[in-house]
Amino acid sequence: MQDIRRNNVERFKGFGTLYDQNRPAAPTEVVEILNTYLGTKPRLVADVGCGTGLSSWIWLNEAERIIGVEPSDDMRAVAEAKWEAAGKPDHLRFVSGLSHELGLPDGSVDIVTCSQSFHWMEPESTLREFARVLRPGGIFAAYDCDWPPILDWQLEQTYQQLIAEADHRASSLEVQENQAHKWSKDGHLQQISQSGLFRYVREIVFHHHETFDADRYVNLALSQGGLQTALKLGADELLTAADEFRALATRIFDGQTRTVLFSYRMRLGII
């Protein structure tokens, strides 16, 4: 298990800036939903697997304290650089840590979130740790968007084909002991429910719009872990497929910006 955790952390090494500049911002609906369930302004939010902090900043004016927990030094460095540029707000901080060893006191956290990250965590030990740090009535929420975002069926189909080929090449090129492991997002709700740690469990679906141009849409695909892993392992043939994807995106966007729709699924449990 220790090797799997290390490999999962290493998967995102080297492309924190690409990730941060092109991934969607965390939707404000996350704050609205979770604060509705909590019934008050959270004293402490722990955003676990926070990456470059995209999912931490939405809490800046909505929680008394926010801790972004991220094991990847590369990803966390981007988050810390943005924190410094913003004047180092003292109620937000970013720390190194793993989901099963948060180093926080029992019952000290109101909300634990995992944005696009829970599928990289061993669920049993992670959920036990989340339950330990959450106060009674506290909430754990894992939320993910569906890939690709909604815009044009031909572009989406090409996106899917590119990522599928990249995942296949990454799997074939990685030696077994270096392979990352991703748990299925479809199993999140069942894992939370079957843990027996939460008294209320449900799934919520919502949507979020963002503005994209062709470059950002292409770079969104390039920011996916499987594609980056395959390229790092020498699958240069994917560059040709990426160029073809870019040409299609350029034609479809036609020099314009477009509103892109992201569909989100949140799976949550209340202690």
Side-chain angles (χ1 to χ4, degrees):
M1 184 56 65
Q2 189 63 37
D3 288 343
I4 289 174
R5 292 188 176 110
R6 183 191 66 244
N7 295 340
N8 286 359
V9 172
E10 287 295 311
R11 187 178 181 87
F12 292 92
K13 185 175 181 179
F15 64 105
T17 299
L18 177 71
Y19 184 103
D20 187 70
Q21 291 177 346
N22 297 288
R23 289 293 179 111
T28 56
E29 287 86 352
V30 171
V31 172
E32 295 169 6
I33 292 166
L34 298 183
N35 280 357
T36 295
Y37 276 119
L38 191 67
T40 186
K41 183 176 183 176
R43 291 163 294 181
L44 177 58
V45 173
D47 184 28
V48 184
C50 70
T52 63
L54 288 170
S55 49
S56 308
W57 284 94
I58 60 167
W59 293 99
L60 193 65
N61 299 315
E62 305 292 342
E64 294 179 15
R65 293 173 55 219
I66 311 104
I67 298 175
V69 182
E70 174 53 49
S72 168
D73 293 340
D74 286 14
M75 301 289 270
R76 195 175 62 259
V78 176
E80 290 171 342
K82 290 193 297 181
W83 176 75
E84 291 178 0
K88 301 181 179 180
D90 58 11
H91 64 300
L92 168 65
R93 64 188 178 100
F94 295 97
V95 301
S96 177
L98 293 167
S99 62
H100 68 296
E101 294 176 337
L102 294 178
L104 296 170
D106 294 358
S108 62
V109 181
D110 293 287
I111 295 173
V112 173
T113 57
C114 290
S115 173
Q116 318 279 1
S117 60
F118 187 56
H119 53 288
W120 295 111
M121 304 171 189
E122 193 286 310
E124 291 188 14
S125 60
T126 292
L127 290 171
R128 284 196 302 270
E129 179 70 347
F130 290 174
R132 181 188 69 79
V133 302
L134 282 167
R135 68 167 178 83
I139 306 165
F140 163 56
Y143 60 98
D144 304 274
C145 65
D146 292 340
W147 303 112
I150 300 161
L151 180 65
D152 175 276
W153 75 266
Q154 295 178 83
L155 192 59
E156 293 168 29
Q157 184 181 62
T158 306
Y159 187 121
Q160 292 170 335
Q161 291 169 344
L162 175 62
I163 298 305
E165 179 60 22
D167 286 343
H168 173 73
R169 293 294 291 135
S171 178
S172 65
L173 289 170
E174 281 183 307
V175 295
Q176 186 66 38
E177 60 268 25
N178 290 336
Q179 285 188 353
H181 180 80
K182 180 165 58 175
W183 283 264
S184 172
K185 295 177 184 179
D186 292 338
H188 287 354
L189 190 69
Q190 184 178 27
Q191 290 159 354
I192 297 169
S193 179
Q194 291 185 347
S195 72
L197 298 167
F198 302 89
R199 54 181 165 166
Y200 181 67
V201 176
R202 73 161 295 174
E203 178 173 307
I204 299 169
V205 177
F206 57 97
H207 304 283
H208 173 65
H209 290 90
E210 289 212 15
T211 301
F212 273 67
D213 59 14
D215 281 343
R216 187 182 179 195
Y217 199 94
V218 172
N219 288 336
L220 181 69
L222 295 178
S223 76
Q224 306 253 211
L227 184 50
Q228 285 295 317
T229 297
L231 291 174
K232 283 188 279 188
L233 292 171
D236 292 340
E237 69 276 9
L238 290 173
L239 294 175
T240 300
D243 286 342
E244 293 171 354
F245 177 58
R246 184 177 297 278
L248 178 60
T250 299
R251 179 172 63 80
I252 289 172
F253 276 87
D254 192 26
Q256 306 297 312
T257 58
R258 301 274 300 272
T259 298
V260 173
L261 176 67
F262 286 88
S263 298
Y264 277 84
R265 303 170 196 274
M266 175 187 285
R267 289 89 171 189
L268 63 80
I270 298 178
I271 290 290

